Short mmCIF file of all heavy atoms in Angstrom, two decimals:
data_model
loop_
_atom_site.label_atom_id
_atom_site.label_comp_id
_atom_site.label_asym_id
_atom_site.label_seq_id
_atom_site.Cartn_x
_atom_site.Cartn_y
_atom_site.Cartn_z
N LEU A 1 22.23 -4.11 16.51
CA LEU A 1 23.01 -4.91 15.57
C LEU A 1 22.12 -5.91 14.84
O LEU A 1 22.27 -6.13 13.63
CB LEU A 1 24.14 -5.63 16.30
CG LEU A 1 25.27 -4.74 16.85
CD1 LEU A 1 26.25 -5.58 17.66
CD2 LEU A 1 25.99 -4.04 15.71
N ALA A 2 21.19 -6.52 15.58
CA ALA A 2 20.27 -7.48 14.95
C ALA A 2 19.39 -6.79 13.92
O ALA A 2 19.14 -7.33 12.83
CB ALA A 2 19.41 -8.15 16.03
N ILE A 3 18.91 -5.60 14.24
CA ILE A 3 18.07 -4.84 13.30
C ILE A 3 18.85 -4.51 12.03
O ILE A 3 18.35 -4.68 10.91
CB ILE A 3 17.55 -3.56 13.98
CG1 ILE A 3 16.56 -3.91 15.10
CG2 ILE A 3 16.88 -2.64 12.96
CD1 ILE A 3 16.16 -2.72 15.96
N LEU A 4 20.08 -4.05 12.20
CA LEU A 4 20.90 -3.69 11.04
C LEU A 4 21.19 -4.91 10.17
O LEU A 4 21.13 -4.84 8.93
CB LEU A 4 22.21 -3.04 11.51
CG LEU A 4 22.07 -1.68 12.20
CD1 LEU A 4 23.42 -1.23 12.76
CD2 LEU A 4 21.52 -0.64 11.25
N TYR A 5 21.51 -6.04 10.82
CA TYR A 5 21.80 -7.25 10.04
C TYR A 5 20.55 -7.72 9.30
O TYR A 5 20.63 -8.13 8.13
CB TYR A 5 22.32 -8.36 10.95
CG TYR A 5 22.65 -9.63 10.18
CD1 TYR A 5 23.90 -9.79 9.59
CD2 TYR A 5 21.70 -10.63 10.01
CE1 TYR A 5 24.20 -10.92 8.86
CE2 TYR A 5 21.99 -11.76 9.27
CZ TYR A 5 23.24 -11.91 8.71
OH TYR A 5 23.54 -13.03 7.97
N TYR A 6 19.41 -7.69 9.98
CA TYR A 6 18.17 -8.14 9.34
C TYR A 6 17.83 -7.25 8.14
O TYR A 6 17.39 -7.74 7.08
CB TYR A 6 17.01 -8.12 10.35
CG TYR A 6 15.99 -9.20 10.12
CD1 TYR A 6 15.70 -10.14 11.10
CD2 TYR A 6 15.29 -9.27 8.92
CE1 TYR A 6 14.76 -11.13 10.88
CE2 TYR A 6 14.33 -10.26 8.70
CZ TYR A 6 14.07 -11.18 9.69
OH TYR A 6 13.14 -12.17 9.47
N ALA A 7 18.03 -5.94 8.29
CA ALA A 7 17.77 -5.03 7.17
C ALA A 7 18.70 -5.33 6.00
O ALA A 7 18.28 -5.30 4.83
CB ALA A 7 17.94 -3.58 7.62
N HIS A 8 19.96 -5.65 6.31
CA HIS A 8 20.92 -6.01 5.27
C HIS A 8 20.48 -7.30 4.55
O HIS A 8 20.53 -7.39 3.32
CB HIS A 8 22.31 -6.19 5.89
CG HIS A 8 23.33 -6.73 4.95
ND1 HIS A 8 23.81 -6.01 3.86
CD2 HIS A 8 23.97 -7.94 4.90
CE1 HIS A 8 24.69 -6.73 3.21
NE2 HIS A 8 24.81 -7.91 3.82
N ALA A 9 20.03 -8.29 5.33
CA ALA A 9 19.56 -9.55 4.74
C ALA A 9 18.33 -9.32 3.87
O ALA A 9 18.20 -9.93 2.80
CB ALA A 9 19.26 -10.55 5.86
N CYS A 10 17.42 -8.43 4.31
CA CYS A 10 16.24 -8.12 3.51
C CYS A 10 16.63 -7.45 2.20
O CYS A 10 16.06 -7.73 1.13
CB CYS A 10 15.29 -7.21 4.30
SG CYS A 10 14.49 -8.00 5.70
N SER A 11 17.62 -6.56 2.28
CA SER A 11 18.08 -5.87 1.07
C SER A 11 18.64 -6.85 0.05
O SER A 11 18.36 -6.74 -1.15
CB SER A 11 19.14 -4.83 1.46
OG SER A 11 19.67 -4.19 0.32
N LEU A 12 19.41 -7.83 0.53
CA LEU A 12 19.97 -8.83 -0.39
C LEU A 12 18.90 -9.76 -0.93
O LEU A 12 18.89 -10.09 -2.13
CB LEU A 12 21.05 -9.64 0.32
CG LEU A 12 22.32 -8.89 0.74
CD1 LEU A 12 23.26 -9.82 1.50
CD2 LEU A 12 23.02 -8.29 -0.48
N ALA A 13 17.99 -10.19 -0.05
CA ALA A 13 16.97 -11.17 -0.46
C ALA A 13 15.97 -10.57 -1.45
O ALA A 13 15.53 -11.24 -2.39
CB ALA A 13 16.25 -11.71 0.76
N LEU A 14 15.59 -9.30 -1.24
CA LEU A 14 14.57 -8.67 -2.08
C LEU A 14 15.17 -7.81 -3.19
O LEU A 14 14.42 -7.28 -4.02
CB LEU A 14 13.65 -7.81 -1.21
CG LEU A 14 12.92 -8.53 -0.07
CD1 LEU A 14 12.16 -7.54 0.78
CD2 LEU A 14 12.00 -9.61 -0.61
N ASP A 15 16.51 -7.68 -3.17
CA ASP A 15 17.22 -6.85 -4.15
C ASP A 15 16.64 -5.43 -4.16
O ASP A 15 16.30 -4.87 -5.21
CB ASP A 15 17.12 -7.48 -5.55
CG ASP A 15 18.11 -6.83 -6.53
OD1 ASP A 15 19.10 -6.24 -6.05
OD2 ASP A 15 17.87 -6.90 -7.75
N THR A 16 16.53 -4.88 -2.98
CA THR A 16 16.00 -3.53 -2.81
C THR A 16 16.94 -2.75 -1.90
O THR A 16 17.79 -3.34 -1.22
CB THR A 16 14.60 -3.56 -2.17
OG1 THR A 16 14.69 -4.23 -0.89
CG2 THR A 16 13.60 -4.28 -3.06
N PRO A 17 16.81 -1.40 -1.84
CA PRO A 17 17.61 -0.63 -0.88
C PRO A 17 17.24 -1.01 0.55
O PRO A 17 16.24 -1.68 0.81
CB PRO A 17 17.23 0.82 -1.19
CG PRO A 17 16.66 0.79 -2.56
CD PRO A 17 16.02 -0.55 -2.72
N PHE A 18 18.04 -0.55 1.49
CA PHE A 18 17.78 -0.80 2.91
C PHE A 18 16.37 -0.34 3.26
O PHE A 18 15.91 0.72 2.81
CB PHE A 18 18.79 -0.06 3.77
CG PHE A 18 19.92 -0.93 4.24
CD1 PHE A 18 20.68 -1.65 3.33
CD2 PHE A 18 20.25 -1.02 5.59
CE1 PHE A 18 21.73 -2.45 3.76
CE2 PHE A 18 21.30 -1.82 6.01
CZ PHE A 18 22.03 -2.53 5.10
N ASN A 19 15.70 -1.13 4.10
CA ASN A 19 14.37 -0.77 4.57
C ASN A 19 14.18 -1.37 5.95
O ASN A 19 14.34 -2.58 6.14
CB ASN A 19 13.30 -1.30 3.61
CG ASN A 19 11.94 -0.71 3.89
OD1 ASN A 19 11.60 -0.39 5.02
ND2 ASN A 19 11.15 -0.53 2.84
N PHE A 20 13.86 -0.51 6.92
CA PHE A 20 13.71 -0.96 8.31
C PHE A 20 12.25 -1.12 8.71
O PHE A 20 11.94 -1.22 9.89
CB PHE A 20 14.39 0.03 9.25
CG PHE A 20 15.88 0.08 9.10
CD1 PHE A 20 16.48 1.03 8.30
CD2 PHE A 20 16.69 -0.85 9.75
CE1 PHE A 20 17.86 1.08 8.15
CE2 PHE A 20 18.07 -0.81 9.61
CZ PHE A 20 18.66 0.15 8.81
N ASP A 21 11.36 -1.17 7.73
CA ASP A 21 9.95 -1.31 8.03
C ASP A 21 9.64 -2.74 8.46
O ASP A 21 10.17 -3.70 7.89
CB ASP A 21 9.12 -0.95 6.80
CG ASP A 21 7.72 -0.50 7.18
OD1 ASP A 21 7.58 0.65 7.61
OD2 ASP A 21 6.79 -1.31 7.07
N LEU A 22 8.77 -2.88 9.45
CA LEU A 22 8.42 -4.21 9.95
C LEU A 22 7.81 -5.08 8.86
O LEU A 22 8.06 -6.29 8.80
CB LEU A 22 7.46 -4.08 11.14
CG LEU A 22 6.97 -5.39 11.77
CD1 LEU A 22 8.13 -6.22 12.29
CD2 LEU A 22 5.97 -5.11 12.89
N GLU A 23 7.03 -4.48 7.98
CA GLU A 23 6.41 -5.25 6.90
C GLU A 23 7.46 -5.88 5.99
O GLU A 23 7.31 -7.02 5.55
CB GLU A 23 5.49 -4.34 6.09
CG GLU A 23 4.70 -5.06 5.02
CD GLU A 23 3.76 -4.13 4.28
OE1 GLU A 23 3.59 -2.98 4.72
OE2 GLU A 23 3.19 -4.57 3.25
N THR A 24 8.54 -5.15 5.73
CA THR A 24 9.63 -5.70 4.92
C THR A 24 10.30 -6.85 5.64
O THR A 24 10.60 -7.90 5.03
CB THR A 24 10.66 -4.60 4.61
OG1 THR A 24 10.01 -3.52 3.94
CG2 THR A 24 11.79 -5.14 3.76
N PHE A 25 10.56 -6.70 6.94
CA PHE A 25 11.17 -7.77 7.72
C PHE A 25 10.30 -9.02 7.70
O PHE A 25 10.80 -10.15 7.65
CB PHE A 25 11.39 -7.32 9.17
CG PHE A 25 12.62 -6.46 9.36
CD1 PHE A 25 13.01 -5.52 8.42
CD2 PHE A 25 13.38 -6.58 10.51
CE1 PHE A 25 14.13 -4.73 8.60
CE2 PHE A 25 14.51 -5.80 10.71
CZ PHE A 25 14.87 -4.86 9.75
N ASN A 26 8.98 -8.83 7.76
CA ASN A 26 8.07 -9.96 7.77
C ASN A 26 8.06 -10.74 6.46
O ASN A 26 7.61 -11.88 6.41
CB ASN A 26 6.64 -9.49 8.08
CG ASN A 26 6.43 -9.22 9.56
OD1 ASN A 26 7.05 -9.86 10.41
ND2 ASN A 26 5.56 -8.27 9.87
N ASN A 27 8.57 -10.11 5.39
CA ASN A 27 8.58 -10.77 4.09
C ASN A 27 9.84 -11.61 3.85
O ASN A 27 9.96 -12.25 2.80
CB ASN A 27 8.46 -9.73 2.97
CG ASN A 27 7.09 -9.10 2.92
OD1 ASN A 27 6.09 -9.73 3.27
ND2 ASN A 27 7.03 -7.84 2.51
N VAL A 28 10.76 -11.60 4.80
CA VAL A 28 12.02 -12.31 4.63
C VAL A 28 12.26 -13.24 5.82
O VAL A 28 12.15 -12.80 6.97
CB VAL A 28 13.21 -11.33 4.49
CG1 VAL A 28 14.53 -12.09 4.44
CG2 VAL A 28 13.03 -10.48 3.25
N VAL A 29 12.56 -14.50 5.55
CA VAL A 29 12.94 -15.47 6.58
C VAL A 29 14.45 -15.68 6.48
O VAL A 29 14.96 -16.04 5.41
CB VAL A 29 12.21 -16.81 6.41
CG1 VAL A 29 12.66 -17.80 7.48
CG2 VAL A 29 10.70 -16.59 6.48
N LEU A 30 15.16 -15.43 7.58
CA LEU A 30 16.61 -15.56 7.56
C LEU A 30 17.04 -17.02 7.37
O LEU A 30 16.33 -17.94 7.79
CB LEU A 30 17.21 -15.04 8.87
CG LEU A 30 17.10 -13.54 9.13
CD1 LEU A 30 17.69 -13.20 10.49
CD2 LEU A 30 17.79 -12.74 8.05
N PRO A 31 18.20 -17.24 6.76
CA PRO A 31 18.72 -18.61 6.66
C PRO A 31 18.94 -19.23 8.04
O PRO A 31 19.20 -18.53 9.02
CB PRO A 31 20.06 -18.42 5.93
CG PRO A 31 19.95 -17.09 5.25
CD PRO A 31 19.06 -16.25 6.11
N ALA A 32 18.82 -20.53 8.09
CA ALA A 32 18.91 -21.23 9.37
C ALA A 32 20.24 -20.99 10.09
O ALA A 32 20.29 -20.92 11.32
CB ALA A 32 18.69 -22.73 9.17
N GLN A 33 21.33 -20.84 9.34
CA GLN A 33 22.65 -20.72 9.97
C GLN A 33 22.86 -19.37 10.65
O GLN A 33 23.71 -19.25 11.53
CB GLN A 33 23.77 -20.96 8.94
CG GLN A 33 23.76 -19.99 7.76
CD GLN A 33 22.97 -20.51 6.59
OE1 GLN A 33 22.03 -21.28 6.78
NE2 GLN A 33 23.36 -20.12 5.38
N THR A 34 22.11 -18.34 10.26
CA THR A 34 22.26 -17.02 10.91
C THR A 34 21.06 -16.66 11.79
O THR A 34 21.15 -15.75 12.60
CB THR A 34 22.43 -15.92 9.84
OG1 THR A 34 21.28 -15.92 8.99
CG2 THR A 34 23.69 -16.16 9.02
N ARG A 35 19.97 -17.37 11.62
CA ARG A 35 18.73 -17.02 12.31
C ARG A 35 18.90 -17.02 13.83
O ARG A 35 18.44 -16.10 14.54
CB ARG A 35 17.63 -18.00 11.91
CG ARG A 35 16.25 -17.67 12.40
CD ARG A 35 15.29 -18.78 12.03
NE ARG A 35 15.29 -19.03 10.59
CZ ARG A 35 15.01 -20.20 10.03
NH1 ARG A 35 14.73 -21.24 10.80
NH2 ARG A 35 15.01 -20.34 8.73
N LEU A 36 19.59 -18.03 14.37
CA LEU A 36 19.73 -18.16 15.82
C LEU A 36 20.51 -16.99 16.40
O LEU A 36 20.14 -16.44 17.45
CB LEU A 36 20.41 -19.48 16.16
CG LEU A 36 20.71 -19.71 17.65
CD1 LEU A 36 19.42 -19.69 18.46
CD2 LEU A 36 21.46 -21.02 17.86
N TRP A 37 21.61 -16.58 15.73
CA TRP A 37 22.44 -15.51 16.27
C TRP A 37 21.71 -14.17 16.27
O TRP A 37 21.84 -13.38 17.21
CB TRP A 37 23.75 -15.41 15.48
CG TRP A 37 24.58 -16.65 15.61
CD1 TRP A 37 24.79 -17.61 14.67
CD2 TRP A 37 25.27 -17.08 16.78
NE1 TRP A 37 25.59 -18.60 15.17
CE2 TRP A 37 25.90 -18.31 16.46
CE3 TRP A 37 25.44 -16.55 18.06
CZ2 TRP A 37 26.67 -19.01 17.38
CZ3 TRP A 37 26.20 -17.25 18.98
CH2 TRP A 37 26.81 -18.47 18.63
N VAL A 38 20.94 -13.93 15.23
CA VAL A 38 20.17 -12.68 15.18
C VAL A 38 19.08 -12.71 16.26
O VAL A 38 18.81 -11.70 16.92
CB VAL A 38 19.56 -12.47 13.78
CG1 VAL A 38 18.77 -11.17 13.73
CG2 VAL A 38 20.66 -12.45 12.74
N PHE A 39 18.47 -13.88 16.44
CA PHE A 39 17.46 -14.03 17.50
C PHE A 39 18.07 -13.74 18.87
O PHE A 39 17.47 -13.03 19.69
CB PHE A 39 16.89 -15.45 17.48
CG PHE A 39 16.03 -15.77 18.67
CD1 PHE A 39 14.69 -15.42 18.70
CD2 PHE A 39 16.56 -16.42 19.79
CE1 PHE A 39 13.89 -15.71 19.80
CE2 PHE A 39 15.78 -16.72 20.88
CZ PHE A 39 14.44 -16.36 20.89
N ILE A 40 19.26 -14.28 19.14
CA ILE A 40 19.90 -14.08 20.44
C ILE A 40 20.17 -12.59 20.68
O ILE A 40 19.96 -12.08 21.78
CB ILE A 40 21.21 -14.90 20.53
CG1 ILE A 40 20.88 -16.39 20.60
CG2 ILE A 40 22.03 -14.48 21.75
CD1 ILE A 40 22.09 -17.30 20.52
N ALA A 41 20.62 -11.88 19.63
CA ALA A 41 20.88 -10.46 19.78
C ALA A 41 19.60 -9.69 20.11
O ALA A 41 19.59 -8.83 21.00
CB ALA A 41 21.52 -9.91 18.50
N PHE A 42 18.51 -10.01 19.41
CA PHE A 42 17.21 -9.42 19.73
C PHE A 42 16.81 -9.76 21.16
O PHE A 42 16.36 -8.91 21.93
CB PHE A 42 16.14 -9.94 18.77
CG PHE A 42 15.76 -8.97 17.69
CD1 PHE A 42 16.20 -9.17 16.38
CD2 PHE A 42 14.97 -7.88 17.95
CE1 PHE A 42 15.85 -8.31 15.37
CE2 PHE A 42 14.61 -7.00 16.94
CZ PHE A 42 15.05 -7.21 15.64
N PHE A 43 16.96 -11.04 21.50
CA PHE A 43 16.49 -11.54 22.78
C PHE A 43 17.20 -10.86 23.95
O PHE A 43 16.57 -10.51 24.95
CB PHE A 43 16.70 -13.06 22.84
CG PHE A 43 16.24 -13.69 24.13
CD1 PHE A 43 14.89 -13.96 24.34
CD2 PHE A 43 17.14 -14.02 25.14
CE1 PHE A 43 14.46 -14.54 25.51
CE2 PHE A 43 16.72 -14.60 26.32
CZ PHE A 43 15.37 -14.86 26.50
N VAL A 44 18.50 -10.65 23.84
CA VAL A 44 19.26 -10.02 24.93
C VAL A 44 18.74 -8.61 25.20
O VAL A 44 18.54 -8.21 26.35
CB VAL A 44 20.77 -10.00 24.61
CG1 VAL A 44 21.53 -9.11 25.58
CG2 VAL A 44 21.33 -11.41 24.64
N GLY A 45 18.52 -7.83 24.13
CA GLY A 45 18.01 -6.48 24.32
C GLY A 45 16.66 -6.45 25.00
O GLY A 45 16.40 -5.57 25.84
#
């Protein structure tokens, strides 16, 4: 779920289609209000 949400955020931030590449994720910093929840989802797994 965290991966899917992060890909969605990258798509909106970069105005590009979905991309699950790590390099794309590294180019986007999530907003502070959602960053913690996505981190927790990653962390639990």
Side-chain angles (χ1 to χ4, degrees):
L1 291 174
I3 292 171
L4 294 173
Y5 181 86
Y6 212 121
H8 172 68
C10 291
S11 177
L12 294 177
L14 302 174
D15 194 22
T16 59
F18 261 54
N19 192 328
F20 293 96
D21 205 78
L22 179 60
E23 185 178 350
T24 302
F25 280 37
N26 281 330
N27 290 330
V28 175
V29 178
L30 292 178
Q33 59 268 29
T34 59
R35 187 185 304 152
L36 176 61
W37 296 107
V38 181
F39 170 84
I40 291 173
F42 258 105
F43 180 79
V44 169

